[in-house]
Amino acid sequence: MASKRDEESQEEKTHRYNRRYNAAQRSGGCCTKTKCILFFVFLALLGGAAGALVGVFGIEQIKSWVGLGPTEEGSEDTGTGTGNDGNNTGTPAYVFSQCSSSGDCCNGLASNCDLKVNEVLYATVHNANHDNRTAFSNNIFPLEDALTAGYRGLMIDVCKCPNEQDEEEVIFCHGMCGLGTRDPAEVFTNINTFLSSNSKDMLIINFELSVGNPTPAELWAVLDGVDGISSKTYDYTEGSSWPTMKQMQNTNKQLILFKHGGLSCLNNPNSNGCVSNIEEFHRFAVETKYSFASVEEVEDENNSCVEDRGTGGTKEFYAVNNFVENSVIGSPSEAGSETVNEKVFLTNRLAECEAITSFKPNYIAVDFWHLGDVIEVVQEENKVRGA
């Protein structure tokens, strides 16, 4: 028998999410009364500490520590590329799709079509669900805008948190129930709409199963409830090679799903809670370290490019993490992203990581995706690979 939740329309689900989101905002974005109290105590302590730091070091030094770059009016693109966002609106100056009106086109380039999906480079948004709706965000603009700009990789954190009825449900959040919160049904609906409107493009999502221990099956149930998206999802066949971009297109598959963390489906993909459509990321992919306290740490390629997680897998994909946390409180550094997202820095990093590991990068994961020249660098690299 269908539950009331199953019978909800998408409009009702979105309205329910908005009510919960607004309530969370009014209460400081916490999941429980105890957490709210602790959160406000933390804010009071943080405010006192911030005042003391400003008195000692000055506001400009503090701004550089916590990753506050220029204001939107004063922001400038310091790279030599066109810049993803010349006016800080999330609108890219570089045109992602460069295909003719007729003929083949795969993720913006005709030359991509003959490449296997693990031979292509994807511009990837780190913690894509965490935009400026809540504090300590990794991104200013929502993931939907990133798709429009040309990003074809998303990293999303999945949680189980109490709703208004104190019932646990699957949501997207970041580290705690009140941060980076998005309604998965809403996000999947928007992704499905985007893919339907861009039938020659495909997307890879890497989910991190986080707070509350959600299972892949629970996540898939939410996705499967959005009409049309599950049929677009690729189901990897054991022992097979990855398809070309054109083969994906010919079979109407536009979405590849991975996950890491939480319930391990590595050795028993058919166990309870696992689903075949969501593969273990580190079974197929090796990645660099994912925590850098400064731009200098990212520049140290002998350490920042080497294999970290996924060393025991098949290494058919190589993920390069390219974001900075400020060294004082560990929040994402917008100032750091202004440097590491620009054209010369990105181009050199991709080349150095390939030289050190002998792997061609498949993902370049960034924070504050609207900054720099990420889309331009990725498409220019894909042109070389497809030549």
Side-chain angles (χ1 to χ4, degrees):
M1 180 177 180
S3 66
K4 291 183 179 180
R5 178 63 50 81
D6 294 331
E7 295 172 355
E8 282 185 316
S9 68
Q10 181 54 46
E11 181 178 356
E12 290 169 332
K13 287 181 180 178
T14 301
H15 180 61
R16 175 171 54 82
Y17 164 73
N18 289 334
R19 291 200 313 271
R20 184 174 74 250
Y21 173 75
N22 291 332
Q25 288 293 89
R26 291 193 299 270
S27 64
C30 300
C31 295
T32 67
K33 185 180 292 184
T34 300
K35 284 184 178 179
C36 284
I37 293 171
L38 291 174
F39 185 69
F40 284 118
V41 171
F42 166 75
L43 287 180
L45 293 173
L46 183 61
L53 286 170
V54 169
V56 174
F57 297 103
I59 188 63
E60 293 305 319
Q61 179 64 62
I62 300 300
K63 285 170 68 176
S64 69
W65 281 345
V66 299
L68 293 177
T71 62
E72 290 193 1
E73 292 181 357
S75 293
E76 296 181 359
D77 179 22
T78 58
T80 59
T82 60
N84 281 351
D85 178 27
N87 55 12
N88 265 354
T89 63
T91 303
Y94 183 86
V95 178
F96 169 75
S97 182
Q98 299 181 32
C99 301
S100 63
S101 57
S102 60
D104 287 342
C105 188
C106 298
N107 278 18
L109 296 173
S111 56
N112 279 341
C113 292
D114 290 333
L115 297 176
K116 293 183 178 181
V117 296
N118 62 322
E119 295 174 334
V120 176
L121 178 61
Y122 304 88
T124 302
V125 184
H126 176 235
N127 289 335
N129 54 294
H130 197 174
D131 54 42
N132 68 350
R133 299 166 202 235
T134 54
F136 307 115
S137 61
N138 296 82
N139 302 283
I140 301 298
F141 299 100
L143 63 88
E144 290 86 350
D145 289 354
L147 296 179
T148 301
Y151 283 82
R152 293 297 177 264
L154 300 175
M155 300 169 70
I156 298 177
D157 285 12
V158 186
C159 310
K160 279 178 70 175
C161 297
N163 59 20
E164 291 177 334
Q165 290 74 43
D166 205 32
E167 301 169 338
E168 288 193 339
E169 65 179 1
V170 174
I171 65 170
F172 296 151
C173 80
H174 184 205
M176 61 182 292
C177 290
L179 290 180
T181 305
R182 293 290 309 269
D183 176 20
E186 177 193 42
V187 171
F188 288 141
T189 297
N190 294 342
I191 289 174
N192 184 55
T193 299
F194 175 83
L195 292 175
S196 295
S197 300
N198 296 271
S199 60
K200 296 184 177 182
D201 286 11
M202 60 155 288
L203 175 67
I204 296 181
I205 306 179
N206 180 13
F207 298 103
E208 179 178 356
L209 304 187
S210 181
V211 177
N213 296 317
T215 67
E218 290 171 324
L219 175 62
W220 178 257
V222 179
L223 181 146
D224 197 35
V226 174
D227 186 43
I229 193 169
S230 61
S231 63
K232 294 181 175 73
T233 305
Y234 179 74
D235 191 354
Y236 176 78
T237 301
E238 188 67 32
S240 65
S241 60
W242 291 95
T244 65
M245 301 281 279
K246 187 63 176 178
Q247 287 171 333
M248 289 280 291
Q249 196 176 110
N250 290 340
T251 54
N252 298 313
K253 301 301 180 184
Q254 294 178 267
L255 192 59
I256 295 177
L257 303 179
F258 292 111
K259 74 87 176 171
H260 66 281
L263 174 68
S264 175
C265 301
L266 186 61
N267 297 319
N268 190 6
N270 297 316
S271 65
N272 188 36
C274 299
V275 290
S276 62
N277 298 86
I278 304 178
E279 292 285 350
E280 286 282 354
F281 185 65
H282 295 121
R283 177 188 176 192
F284 299 100
V286 63
E287 67 173 313
T288 67
K289 64 180 294 189
Y290 52 89
S291 179
F292 304 105
S294 67
V295 171
E296 290 72 26
E297 286 192 11
V298 181
E299 286 180 307
D300 181 13
E301 289 93 357
N302 288 323
N303 289 311
S304 69
C305 291
V306 296
E307 301 173 31
D308 188 61
R309 295 186 293 185
T311 56
T314 61
K315 304 180 184 179
E316 295 170 73
F317 295 86
Y318 175 40
V320 175
N321 294 314
N322 192 68
F323 41 82
V324 178
E325 297 175 347
N326 76 74
S327 58
V328 178
I329 58 176
S331 64
S333 171
E334 185 172 353
S337 290
E338 286 184 335
T339 298
V340 302
N341 289 5
E342 65 93 13
K343 185 175 182 178
V344 173
F345 190 101
L346 275 175
T347 302
N348 290 341
R349 177 153 173 74
L350 291 170
E352 288 294 328
C353 285
E354 180 178 348
I356 289 169
T357 64
S358 298
F359 299 135
K360 287 186 178 297
N362 300 106
Y363 311 94
I364 182 71
V366 301
D367 285 339
F368 301 101
W369 61 262
H370 71 288
L371 297 174
D373 311 286
V374 183
I375 301 302
E376 179 180 0
V377 170
V378 166
Q379 290 299 72
E380 292 304 312
E381 170 64 18
N382 281 328
K383 287 180 186 178
V384 173
R385 296 185 186 188

Short mmCIF file of all heavy atoms in Angstrom, two decimals, residues 294-352:
data_model
loop_
_atom_site.label_atom_id
_atom_site.label_comp_id
_atom_site.label_asym_id
_atom_site.label_seq_id
_atom_site.Cartn_x
_atom_site.Cartn_y
_atom_site.Cartn_z
N SER A 294 46.45 25.16 2.12
CA SER A 294 46.96 26.35 1.46
C SER A 294 47.15 26.07 -0.02
O SER A 294 47.21 24.91 -0.45
CB SER A 294 48.31 26.78 2.06
OG SER A 294 49.31 25.81 1.79
N VAL A 295 47.26 27.13 -0.78
CA VAL A 295 47.57 27.00 -2.21
C VAL A 295 48.92 26.32 -2.39
O VAL A 295 49.11 25.51 -3.30
CB VAL A 295 47.56 28.39 -2.89
CG1 VAL A 295 48.10 28.30 -4.32
CG2 VAL A 295 46.16 28.98 -2.88
N GLU A 296 49.85 26.63 -1.50
CA GLU A 296 51.19 26.03 -1.58
C GLU A 296 51.13 24.51 -1.45
O GLU A 296 51.91 23.79 -2.10
CB GLU A 296 52.10 26.62 -0.52
CG GLU A 296 52.50 28.07 -0.74
CD GLU A 296 51.36 29.05 -0.52
OE1 GLU A 296 50.43 28.73 0.26
OE2 GLU A 296 51.39 30.15 -1.12
N GLU A 297 50.22 24.00 -0.64
CA GLU A 297 50.09 22.54 -0.50
C GLU A 297 49.57 21.93 -1.80
O GLU A 297 49.98 20.83 -2.18
CB GLU A 297 49.17 22.20 0.66
CG GLU A 297 49.79 22.40 2.03
CD GLU A 297 48.97 21.78 3.15
OE1 GLU A 297 48.03 21.01 2.85
OE2 GLU A 297 49.26 22.07 4.32
N VAL A 298 48.66 22.62 -2.48
CA VAL A 298 48.18 22.13 -3.77
C VAL A 298 49.31 22.16 -4.79
O VAL A 298 49.45 21.26 -5.62
CB VAL A 298 46.98 22.97 -4.26
CG1 VAL A 298 46.47 22.44 -5.60
CG2 VAL A 298 45.85 22.97 -3.23
N GLU A 299 50.13 23.21 -4.74
CA GLU A 299 51.24 23.36 -5.69
C GLU A 299 52.33 22.32 -5.50
O GLU A 299 53.12 22.06 -6.42
CB GLU A 299 51.86 24.75 -5.56
CG GLU A 299 51.01 25.86 -6.14
CD GLU A 299 51.68 27.21 -5.98
OE1 GLU A 299 52.05 27.56 -4.84
OE2 GLU A 299 51.83 27.92 -6.99
N ASP A 300 52.37 21.70 -4.33
CA ASP A 300 53.38 20.66 -4.05
C ASP A 300 52.93 19.35 -4.69
O ASP A 300 52.44 18.45 -4.03
CB ASP A 300 53.57 20.51 -2.54
CG ASP A 300 54.61 19.47 -2.17
OD1 ASP A 300 55.36 19.04 -3.07
OD2 ASP A 300 54.66 19.09 -0.99
N GLU A 301 53.09 19.27 -6.02
CA GLU A 301 52.52 18.14 -6.77
C GLU A 301 53.06 16.78 -6.34
O GLU A 301 52.37 15.77 -6.47
CB GLU A 301 52.76 18.33 -8.27
CG GLU A 301 51.93 19.42 -8.91
CD GLU A 301 52.65 20.74 -8.94
OE1 GLU A 301 53.78 20.80 -8.40
OE2 GLU A 301 52.10 21.71 -9.51
N ASN A 302 54.28 16.73 -5.82
CA ASN A 302 54.82 15.44 -5.38
C ASN A 302 54.02 14.85 -4.23
O ASN A 302 54.10 13.64 -3.98
CB ASN A 302 56.28 15.60 -4.98
CG ASN A 302 57.19 15.81 -6.17
OD1 ASN A 302 56.98 15.22 -7.22
ND2 ASN A 302 58.19 16.67 -6.02
N ASN A 303 53.27 15.69 -3.53
CA ASN A 303 52.38 15.21 -2.48
C ASN A 303 50.91 15.33 -2.86
O ASN A 303 50.10 14.49 -2.49
CB ASN A 303 52.63 15.99 -1.17
CG ASN A 303 53.95 15.63 -0.53
OD1 ASN A 303 54.27 14.46 -0.37
ND2 ASN A 303 54.74 16.64 -0.18
N SER A 304 50.56 16.38 -3.60
CA SER A 304 49.15 16.63 -3.88
C SER A 304 48.59 15.84 -5.05
O SER A 304 47.38 15.77 -5.24
CB SER A 304 48.93 18.12 -4.15
OG SER A 304 49.52 18.52 -5.36
N CYS A 305 49.47 15.22 -5.85
CA CYS A 305 49.01 14.44 -7.00
C CYS A 305 49.02 12.94 -6.76
O CYS A 305 48.42 12.18 -7.53
CB CYS A 305 49.89 14.74 -8.22
SG CYS A 305 49.70 16.39 -8.92
N VAL A 306 49.73 12.49 -5.73
CA VAL A 306 49.93 11.06 -5.55
C VAL A 306 48.63 10.37 -5.14
O VAL A 306 47.70 11.00 -4.62
CB VAL A 306 51.02 10.77 -4.51
CG1 VAL A 306 52.36 11.29 -4.99
CG2 VAL A 306 50.66 11.39 -3.16
N GLU A 307 48.58 9.07 -5.37
CA GLU A 307 47.40 8.28 -5.05
C GLU A 307 47.13 8.28 -3.55
O GLU A 307 48.04 8.11 -2.75
CB GLU A 307 47.60 6.84 -5.53
CG GLU A 307 47.86 6.70 -7.02
CD GLU A 307 48.22 5.28 -7.40
OE1 GLU A 307 47.73 4.35 -6.73
OE2 GLU A 307 49.00 5.08 -8.35
N ASP A 308 45.87 8.46 -3.21
CA ASP A 308 45.46 8.43 -1.81
C ASP A 308 44.39 7.35 -1.62
O ASP A 308 44.71 6.20 -1.39
CB ASP A 308 44.95 9.82 -1.38
CG ASP A 308 44.68 9.91 0.10
OD1 ASP A 308 45.63 9.73 0.88
OD2 ASP A 308 43.50 10.15 0.48
N ARG A 309 43.13 7.70 -1.78
CA ARG A 309 42.08 6.69 -1.69
C ARG A 309 41.89 5.99 -3.03
O ARG A 309 42.04 6.60 -4.09
CB ARG A 309 40.77 7.34 -1.24
CG ARG A 309 40.83 7.90 0.17
CD ARG A 309 39.49 8.40 0.67
NE ARG A 309 39.01 9.57 -0.07
CZ ARG A 309 37.90 10.23 0.25
NH1 ARG A 309 37.17 9.82 1.29
NH2 ARG A 309 37.53 11.29 -0.45
N GLY A 310 41.56 4.69 -2.98
CA GLY A 310 41.31 3.93 -4.19
C GLY A 310 42.51 3.20 -4.74
O GLY A 310 42.48 2.70 -5.88
N THR A 311 43.57 3.08 -3.95
CA THR A 311 44.79 2.44 -4.45
C THR A 311 44.60 0.94 -4.71
O THR A 311 45.35 0.35 -5.48
CB THR A 311 45.95 2.63 -3.46
OG1 THR A 311 45.55 2.13 -2.16
CG2 THR A 311 46.31 4.10 -3.34
N GLY A 312 43.59 0.33 -4.09
CA GLY A 312 43.36 -1.10 -4.29
C GLY A 312 42.38 -1.42 -5.39
O GLY A 312 42.07 -2.59 -5.63
N GLY A 313 41.87 -0.40 -6.08
CA GLY A 313 40.89 -0.61 -7.13
C GLY A 313 41.52 -0.76 -8.50
O GLY A 313 42.73 -0.93 -8.64
N THR A 314 40.68 -0.69 -9.53
CA THR A 314 41.16 -0.89 -10.90
C THR A 314 41.81 0.36 -11.49
O THR A 314 42.46 0.28 -12.53
CB THR A 314 39.99 -1.30 -11.81
OG1 THR A 314 39.01 -0.26 -11.83
CG2 THR A 314 39.35 -2.61 -11.32
N LYS A 315 41.60 1.49 -10.87
CA LYS A 315 42.22 2.75 -11.29
C LYS A 315 41.88 3.11 -12.74
O LYS A 315 42.72 3.61 -13.49
CB LYS A 315 43.74 2.70 -11.09
CG LYS A 315 44.16 2.38 -9.66
CD LYS A 315 45.68 2.33 -9.52
CE LYS A 315 46.09 1.91 -8.11
NZ LYS A 315 47.57 1.85 -7.95
N GLU A 316 40.63 2.89 -13.11
CA GLU A 316 40.19 3.25 -14.45
C GLU A 316 39.81 4.72 -14.56
O GLU A 316 39.64 5.24 -15.67
CB GLU A 316 39.01 2.36 -14.85
CG GLU A 316 39.38 0.89 -14.98
CD GLU A 316 38.17 -0.01 -15.13
OE1 GLU A 316 37.57 0.01 -16.22
OE2 GLU A 316 37.82 -0.72 -14.16
N PHE A 317 39.64 5.37 -13.41
CA PHE A 317 39.41 6.80 -13.36
C PHE A 317 40.43 7.40 -12.38
O PHE A 317 40.83 6.75 -11.42
CB PHE A 317 38.01 7.14 -12.84
CG PHE A 317 36.88 6.69 -13.73
CD1 PHE A 317 36.35 5.41 -13.64
CD2 PHE A 317 36.30 7.58 -14.64
CE1 PHE A 317 35.30 5.01 -14.43
CE2 PHE A 317 35.25 7.19 -15.44
CZ PHE A 317 34.74 5.90 -15.34
N TYR A 318 40.82 8.64 -12.64
CA TYR A 318 41.75 9.35 -11.76
C TYR A 318 41.13 10.70 -11.40
O TYR A 318 40.85 11.52 -12.29
CB TYR A 318 43.09 9.52 -12.47
CG TYR A 318 44.14 10.34 -11.74
CD1 TYR A 318 44.32 10.24 -10.36
CD2 TYR A 318 44.96 11.22 -12.45
CE1 TYR A 318 45.30 10.99 -9.71
CE2 TYR A 318 45.94 11.97 -11.82
CZ TYR A 318 46.10 11.85 -10.44
OH TYR A 318 47.06 12.60 -9.80
N ALA A 319 40.92 10.92 -10.12
CA ALA A 319 40.28 12.14 -9.64
C ALA A 319 41.31 13.05 -8.99
O ALA A 319 42.04 12.63 -8.08
CB ALA A 319 39.18 11.79 -8.63
N VAL A 320 41.38 14.28 -9.47
CA VAL A 320 42.31 15.27 -8.93
C VAL A 320 41.51 16.30 -8.13
O VAL A 320 40.66 17.01 -8.69
CB VAL A 320 43.09 15.98 -10.05
CG1 VAL A 320 43.97 17.09 -9.48
CG2 VAL A 320 43.95 14.96 -10.82
N ASN A 321 41.75 16.35 -6.83
CA ASN A 321 41.09 17.34 -5.97
C ASN A 321 41.87 18.64 -6.02
O ASN A 321 43.10 18.65 -5.95
CB ASN A 321 40.99 16.81 -4.55
CG ASN A 321 40.06 15.61 -4.46
OD1 ASN A 321 38.97 15.63 -5.00
ND2 ASN A 321 40.51 14.55 -3.78
N ASN A 322 41.14 19.75 -6.12
CA ASN A 322 41.79 21.04 -6.39
C ASN A 322 41.06 22.15 -5.66
O ASN A 322 40.45 23.03 -6.27
CB ASN A 322 41.78 21.30 -7.91
CG ASN A 322 42.66 22.46 -8.32
OD1 ASN A 322 43.88 22.37 -8.22
ND2 ASN A 322 42.07 23.53 -8.79
N PHE A 323 41.09 22.09 -4.33
CA PHE A 323 40.42 23.10 -3.52
C PHE A 323 41.19 23.28 -2.22
O PHE A 323 41.97 22.42 -1.82
CB PHE A 323 38.96 22.71 -3.24
CG PHE A 323 38.75 21.25 -2.93
CD1 PHE A 323 38.97 20.76 -1.65
CD2 PHE A 323 38.36 20.37 -3.91
CE1 PHE A 323 38.78 19.42 -1.36
CE2 PHE A 323 38.17 19.01 -3.64
CZ PHE A 323 38.38 18.54 -2.36
N VAL A 324 40.96 24.41 -1.56
CA VAL A 324 41.74 24.80 -0.38
C VAL A 324 40.79 25.08 0.78
O VAL A 324 39.75 25.72 0.61
CB VAL A 324 42.58 26.05 -0.68
CG1 VAL A 324 43.36 26.48 0.57
CG2 VAL A 324 43.54 25.80 -1.85
N GLU A 325 41.17 24.60 1.96
CA GLU A 325 40.50 24.98 3.20
C GLU A 325 41.36 26.00 3.91
O GLU A 325 42.58 25.87 3.94
CB GLU A 325 40.30 23.77 4.11
CG GLU A 325 39.41 22.69 3.53
CD GLU A 325 39.33 21.47 4.42
OE1 GLU A 325 40.17 21.38 5.36
OE2 GLU A 325 38.46 20.62 4.19
N ASN A 326 40.74 27.06 4.46
CA ASN A 326 41.59 28.03 5.15
C ASN A 326 42.18 27.39 6.39
O ASN A 326 41.59 26.52 7.02
CB ASN A 326 40.82 29.31 5.49
CG ASN A 326 39.88 29.14 6.65
OD1 ASN A 326 40.31 29.07 7.80
ND2 ASN A 326 38.59 29.09 6.38
N SER A 327 43.37 27.80 6.74
CA SER A 327 44.16 27.13 7.76
C SER A 327 43.73 27.43 9.18
O SER A 327 44.22 26.81 10.12
CB SER A 327 45.65 27.50 7.59
OG SER A 327 45.82 28.91 7.68
N VAL A 328 42.80 28.39 9.36
CA VAL A 328 42.41 28.76 10.72
C VAL A 328 41.23 27.94 11.20
O VAL A 328 41.28 27.28 12.24
CB VAL A 328 42.08 30.27 10.80
CG1 VAL A 328 41.61 30.65 12.21
CG2 VAL A 328 43.30 31.09 10.42
N ILE A 329 40.12 27.93 10.43
CA ILE A 329 38.92 27.22 10.89
C ILE A 329 38.50 26.09 9.95
O ILE A 329 37.48 25.45 10.19
CB ILE A 329 37.75 28.19 11.08
CG1 ILE A 329 37.44 28.94 9.78
CG2 ILE A 329 38.03 29.17 12.21
CD1 ILE A 329 36.22 29.85 9.86
N GLY A 330 39.24 25.85 8.90
CA GLY A 330 38.96 24.69 8.06
C GLY A 330 37.80 24.85 7.10
O GLY A 330 37.35 23.88 6.50
N SER A 331 37.26 26.06 6.93
CA SER A 331 36.17 26.27 5.99
C SER A 331 36.73 26.46 4.59
O SER A 331 37.90 26.78 4.41
CB SER A 331 35.35 27.49 6.41
OG SER A 331 36.14 28.67 6.33
N PRO A 332 35.90 26.26 3.55
CA PRO A 332 36.39 26.43 2.18
C PRO A 332 36.92 27.84 1.94
O PRO A 332 36.34 28.82 2.40
CB PRO A 332 35.14 26.16 1.34
CG PRO A 332 34.27 25.31 2.21
CD PRO A 332 34.50 25.79 3.61
N SER A 333 38.02 27.92 1.20
CA SER A 333 38.68 29.20 0.96
C SER A 333 38.34 29.72 -0.43
O SER A 333 38.79 29.19 -1.44
CB SER A 333 40.20 29.04 1.09
OG SER A 333 40.86 30.22 0.66
N GLU A 334 37.55 30.78 -0.48
CA GLU A 334 37.22 31.39 -1.76
C GLU A 334 38.45 32.03 -2.38
O GLU A 334 38.66 31.97 -3.59
CB GLU A 334 36.10 32.42 -1.57
CG GLU A 334 35.62 33.02 -2.88
CD GLU A 334 34.39 33.89 -2.70
OE1 GLU A 334 33.83 33.93 -1.59
OE2 GLU A 334 34.00 34.54 -3.69
N ALA A 335 39.29 32.65 -1.53
CA ALA A 335 40.52 33.25 -2.03
C ALA A 335 41.43 32.18 -2.63
O ALA A 335 42.07 32.40 -3.67
CB ALA A 335 41.24 33.99 -0.91
N GLY A 336 41.50 31.01 -1.98
CA GLY A 336 42.29 29.92 -2.53
C GLY A 336 41.77 29.46 -3.88
O GLY A 336 42.54 29.19 -4.82
N SER A 337 40.43 29.39 -4.02
CA SER A 337 39.84 28.96 -5.29
C SER A 337 40.11 29.96 -6.40
O SER A 337 40.23 29.57 -7.57
CB SER A 337 38.33 28.77 -5.12
OG SER A 337 38.06 27.64 -4.31
N GLU A 338 40.20 31.24 -6.06
CA GLU A 338 40.51 32.23 -7.09
C GLU A 338 41.85 31.93 -7.75
O GLU A 338 42.04 32.18 -8.94
CB GLU A 338 40.54 33.63 -6.48
CG GLU A 338 39.17 34.18 -6.15
CD GLU A 338 39.23 35.61 -5.64
OE1 GLU A 338 40.29 36.00 -5.09
OE2 GLU A 338 38.24 36.33 -5.78
N THR A 339 42.77 31.36 -6.97
CA THR A 339 44.09 31.02 -7.52
C THR A 339 44.08 29.67 -8.21
O THR A 339 44.51 29.54 -9.36
CB THR A 339 45.14 31.01 -6.40
OG1 THR A 339 45.25 32.32 -5.83
CG2 THR A 339 46.51 30.59 -6.93
N VAL A 340 43.59 28.63 -7.53
CA VAL A 340 43.72 27.27 -8.07
C VAL A 340 42.76 26.98 -9.21
O VAL A 340 42.92 25.99 -9.93
CB VAL A 340 43.57 26.20 -6.95
CG1 VAL A 340 44.60 26.42 -5.86
CG2 VAL A 340 42.16 26.19 -6.37
N ASN A 341 41.75 27.84 -9.42
CA ASN A 341 40.80 27.64 -10.52
C ASN A 341 41.20 28.39 -11.80
O ASN A 341 40.50 28.28 -12.81
CB ASN A 341 39.40 28.12 -10.12
CG ASN A 341 38.72 27.22 -9.11
OD1 ASN A 341 39.32 26.27 -8.61
ND2 ASN A 341 37.48 27.53 -8.77
N GLU A 342 42.28 29.16 -11.74
CA GLU A 342 42.63 29.93 -12.94
C GLU A 342 43.43 29.09 -13.94
O GLU A 342 43.96 28.05 -13.61
CB GLU A 342 43.36 31.23 -12.56
CG GLU A 342 44.71 31.05 -11.91
CD GLU A 342 45.85 31.07 -12.91
OE1 GLU A 342 45.63 31.47 -14.07
OE2 GLU A 342 46.96 30.67 -12.54
N LYS A 343 43.47 29.56 -15.17
CA LYS A 343 43.88 28.74 -16.30
C LYS A 343 45.30 28.19 -16.17
O LYS A 343 45.51 26.97 -16.34
CB LYS A 343 43.74 29.54 -17.59
CG LYS A 343 44.05 28.73 -18.85
CD LYS A 343 43.78 29.52 -20.11
CE LYS A 343 44.04 28.68 -21.35
NZ LYS A 343 43.73 29.43 -22.59
N VAL A 344 46.26 29.04 -15.91
CA VAL A 344 47.65 28.58 -15.86
C VAL A 344 47.85 27.57 -14.73
O VAL A 344 48.49 26.53 -14.92
CB VAL A 344 48.60 29.79 -15.70
CG1 VAL A 344 50.03 29.31 -15.48
CG2 VAL A 344 48.54 30.68 -16.92
N PHE A 345 47.28 27.87 -13.57
CA PHE A 345 47.43 26.96 -12.43
C PHE A 345 46.82 25.59 -12.76
O PHE A 345 47.45 24.55 -12.56
CB PHE A 345 46.75 27.55 -11.19
CG PHE A 345 47.06 26.81 -9.91
CD1 PHE A 345 48.00 27.31 -9.02
CD2 PHE A 345 46.43 25.62 -9.60
CE1 PHE A 345 48.30 26.63 -7.85
CE2 PHE A 345 46.71 24.93 -8.45
CZ PHE A 345 47.65 25.44 -7.56
N LEU A 346 45.59 25.59 -13.28
CA LEU A 346 44.91 24.33 -13.59
C LEU A 346 45.64 23.53 -14.66
O LEU A 346 45.81 22.32 -14.53
CB LEU A 346 43.49 24.63 -14.07
CG LEU A 346 42.39 24.82 -13.03
CD1 LEU A 346 41.10 25.22 -13.73
CD2 LEU A 346 42.17 23.55 -12.22
N THR A 347 46.04 24.21 -15.71
CA THR A 347 46.73 23.52 -16.80
C THR A 347 48.01 22.85 -16.30
O THR A 347 48.29 21.68 -16.63
CB THR A 347 47.04 24.51 -17.93
OG1 THR A 347 45.83 25.12 -18.39
CG2 THR A 347 47.73 23.80 -19.09
N ASN A 348 48.78 23.58 -15.51
CA ASN A 348 50.02 23.02 -14.97
C ASN A 348 49.73 21.86 -14.02
O ASN A 348 50.44 20.85 -14.03
CB ASN A 348 50.81 24.10 -14.23
CG ASN A 348 51.40 25.12 -15.18
OD1 ASN A 348 51.54 24.87 -16.38
ND2 ASN A 348 51.75 26.30 -14.66
N ARG A 349 48.68 22.00 -13.20
CA ARG A 349 48.37 20.94 -12.23
C ARG A 349 47.98 19.64 -12.93
O ARG A 349 48.44 18.56 -12.56
CB ARG A 349 47.25 21.40 -11.29
CG ARG A 349 46.81 20.32 -10.29
CD ARG A 349 46.24 20.94 -9.03
NE ARG A 349 45.66 19.97 -8.12
CZ ARG A 349 46.37 19.14 -7.36
NH1 ARG A 349 47.70 19.14 -7.41
NH2 ARG A 349 45.78 18.29 -6.54
N LEU A 350 47.14 19.74 -13.93
CA LEU A 350 46.74 18.54 -14.66
C LEU A 350 47.94 17.87 -15.32
O LEU A 350 48.08 16.64 -15.28
CB LEU A 350 45.69 18.90 -15.71
CG LEU A 350 44.32 19.32 -15.17
CD1 LEU A 350 43.45 19.87 -16.30
CD2 LEU A 350 43.62 18.16 -14.49
N ALA A 351 48.82 18.67 -15.92
CA ALA A 351 50.00 18.12 -16.58
C ALA A 351 50.95 17.48 -15.58
O ALA A 351 51.49 16.38 -15.82
CB ALA A 351 50.71 19.22 -17.37
N GLU A 352 51.17 18.13 -14.44
CA GLU A 352 52.08 17.60 -13.43
C GLU A 352 51.53 16.32 -12.82
O GLU A 352 52.28 15.35 -12.59
CB GLU A 352 52.33 18.64 -12.34
CG GLU A 352 53.19 19.82 -12.77
CD GLU A 352 54.62 19.39 -13.10
OE1 GLU A 352 55.12 18.44 -12.47
OE2 GLU A 352 55.22 20.01 -13.99
#
